[in-house]
Amino acid sequence: MQSDQNLSVNPQNEEAAEPAIPVDEIEKLARQIGEKLGEKGGKPIRQIAQMIEKCGWVFVEKILAETEATEAAGGLLTQDKKRRRSKGGVFFFLAKGQMDPELRARIFPNFGKHGDGAIMPPGIDWGERAAHMAALREQPGQINNLTVTLIGRPGALRIEGSSVMTVIEQREVKAPPYPKGVPPFDAVRDVTKYYVFMGLRHWRKVEKPLENEEDMLIVEGSAVYDPQLGGITVLSTGVSTKALESQKRQKGSQAGTKSGEQAARGSTGGKSTKSPAAIAEPPDLSGLPEESADKLRQLFSAAEKLRHKIDTMEDKGQKSGLAMTRRLLEQTEKQIASLVKQYNLV
C-alpha cells in the first residue's frame, strides 16, 4: 500500500486536502474500525485501509458516523429482506453508495458485476411481475420434465391398498437469497395445499422416524396443478426424512474416511491422513460481510440438494450421472470448507 509523503488529496472531494497518513497508521486505523464493525477477516480490513488511503479519513469518519446512526435507528435489511445487515454490512453498503464509481471499482472490484465482468442493471420490482408476464403468456415454452422436492410435516393419512395420501399446507413463503436479477419479494401468507400421493412401501420406511416430531418428511416427485382438488398434486418417486438423510451422510462420510485412510496408508507407508468431514449445517453467519454470508447460504443449500439427489439415485440404483453429481457435491463442500476456514467459523 502506497501513500504520498506530504499531502493526500481526498478523491471524494478534490477541493479538500488532508494530511497524509503513514501506511502503518492506516493499517492500525483499519483494524480499529474493523473491530468496531465486527469485521475481523483480512479482506474487509484491507478494504477499509484502501478506503482510508484513497477516499480520505474525513470520508471514512463520515460513513462510520452514518453507520452508527443507522444502527441506532434499527439498522438496514439485506436486499432480499430476509435479515438485518451486520454492522459491517451497513458500513460497506453506505460507503459503496457514496463512493466515486472509479474508486469503488478499484476497492470493490466485484461490486455489481456478473460472472463475465459486465455491470448488472437492477432487476424488476416484484409488484410489477404480472405486467411483465402478461404478454409472455401468448408464447409459452414447454416443460419436458418437472421434479419437485417437498420438505415438511405430513398431515392426517389415508391408506388405500398400496396408496398413501396426505395433505400438506404451505402457509408462508419466504424469499431465500436468490441470484441478482431474481426479484426479492415480501413473505406470501396465502395458503397453498399440496396433495401428496406415496407408495405404501416408501411410507413404511419413514413412518417410524417421523414419530419424532422434530424430524421432517422429504418427498421427491412430479407436481401438477389439480383443478378437481384445487391445489398441487405431488406424485412421489422417492420418500425420506431429514434424520434418515443425516444417517446416510454419516455412514458415507465414515466409509469415505476409512477408504481415504486405507489409500493414505498405502501411499504414505502406513501413516494415516484423515480428511476433514463435510460441514452439513450452516454455522452462525451474522458477523460476515453480506456477500460472503449469502454465498455460504447458497452453497449449503446446493450441497443439501446434491446430497438428497445422490441418495435418491442410489436408492433407485441409478448409475447414470451419479459420479458427476458426487463430483459436484465434492466441489461444493470444498468451497464451503474454504470460506468457513477463511472466516474462522469453526
Side-chain angles (χ1 to χ4, degrees):
M1 187 180 294
Q2 297 178 346
S3 179
D4 295 334
Q5 293 298 315
N6 299 316
L7 288 177
S8 174
V9 176
N10 177 3
Q12 296 296 127
N13 182 0
E14 294 186 359
E15 295 180 358
E18 299 179 20
I21 303 177
V23 172
D24 57 347
E25 185 66 20
I26 288 177
E27 294 176 351
K28 181 180 178 182
L29 288 169
R31 286 193 295 271
Q32 290 174 351
I33 293 174
E35 187 173 344
K36 288 183 180 179
L37 298 173
E39 298 288 350
K40 299 179 181 180
K43 184 177 179 180
I45 298 300
R46 288 194 298 271
Q47 289 171 331
I48 294 170
Q50 286 181 299
M51 287 172 58
I52 296 171
E53 180 190 23
K54 300 181 187 302
C55 302
W57 177 246
V58 172
F59 174 76
V60 175
E61 269 195 319
K62 173 177 174 290
I63 298 299
L64 191 58
E66 290 181 7
T67 300
E68 296 290 354
T70 301
E71 285 290 282
L76 290 176
L77 293 178
T78 55
Q79 185 180 3
D80 59 18
K81 300 181 183 179
K82 274 196 78 173
R83 61 181 179 85
R84 179 174 167 173
R85 293 178 192 266
S86 66
K87 191 174 183 180
V90 173
F91 175 83
F92 286 117
F93 176 82
L94 295 174
K96 292 172 186 177
Q98 300 179 46
M99 198 176 293
D100 178 84
E102 184 177 341
L103 286 175
R104 183 174 60 211
R106 291 165 63 186
I107 299 173
F108 304 98
N110 295 321
F111 175 78
K113 289 188 175 181
H114 191 44
D116 57 6
I119 298 295
M120 295 295 290
I124 69 163
D125 185 271
W126 179 249
E128 300 172 355
R129 66 193 185 283
H132 290 289
M133 287 290 185
L136 300 179
R137 291 182 183 142
E138 303 301 321
Q139 295 179 299
Q142 296 292 323
I143 292 176
N144 292 330
N145 183 43
L146 174 64
T147 300
V148 297
T149 301
L150 183 154
I151 301 176
R153 291 289 301 177
L157 294 172
R158 184 178 182 90
I159 300 176
E160 292 288 338
S162 60
S163 299
V164 179
M165 295 159 278
T166 188
V167 181
I168 302 178
E169 291 182 345
Q170 187 176 31
R171 297 187 179 93
E172 184 176 12
V173 180
K174 295 181 180 179
Y178 287 116
K180 190 174 181 66
V182 178
F185 58 89
D186 296 329
V188 177
R189 292 181 173 82
D190 293 337
V191 173
T192 303
K193 293 185 183 295
Y194 290 80
Y195 298 90
V196 181
F197 294 82
M198 298 173 280
L200 182 60
R201 182 174 60 86
H202 281 165
W203 171 252
R204 293 302 186 207
K205 183 176 67 172
V206 300
E207 187 175 14
K208 186 69 176 177
L210 286 172
E211 290 178 2
N212 178 359
E213 294 186 358
E214 294 184 358
D215 202 357
M216 291 287 172
L217 173 68
I218 301 174
V219 177
E220 187 175 81
S222 300
V224 63
Y225 178 75
D226 190 330
Q228 186 173 346
L229 293 175
I232 299 172
T233 293
V234 178
L235 307 171
S236 70
T237 56
V239 179
S240 186
T241 76
K242 285 272 193 177
L244 289 175
E245 298 300 298
S246 178
Q247 291 172 12
K248 287 181 181 179
R249 285 196 296 271
Q250 289 175 2
K251 290 179 181 178
S253 176
Q254 292 169 358
T257 301
K258 187 175 181 180
S259 299
E261 290 174 347
Q262 290 173 347
R265 283 195 292 270
S267 60
T268 60
K271 295 181 179 179
S272 173
T273 307
K274 186 177 181 180
S275 58
I279 304 168
E281 297 296 331
D284 181 13
L285 308 178
S286 57
L288 265 64
E290 177 190 347
E291 295 88 349
S292 300
D294 285 347
K295 178 66 174 176
L296 267 169
R297 288 191 189 92
Q298 292 171 20
L299 287 170
F300 274 109
S301 176
E304 178 70 17
K305 290 177 181 177
L306 287 168
R307 292 186 191 107
H308 178 62
K309 185 175 181 180
I310 289 169
D311 290 336
T312 301
M313 294 170 78
E314 289 176 341
D315 284 346
K316 296 178 181 178
Q318 180 181 340
K319 295 183 179 180
S320 176
L322 182 58
M324 175 62 74
T325 307
R326 284 173 174 160
R327 284 196 294 271
L328 287 172
L329 175 59
E330 183 180 357
Q331 292 168 5
T332 303
E333 289 176 338
K334 283 181 179 179
Q335 292 182 64
I336 291 173
S338 177
L339 286 170
V340 166
K341 181 178 180 181
Q342 178 181 344
Y343 291 104
N344 297 316
L345 298 178
V346 291

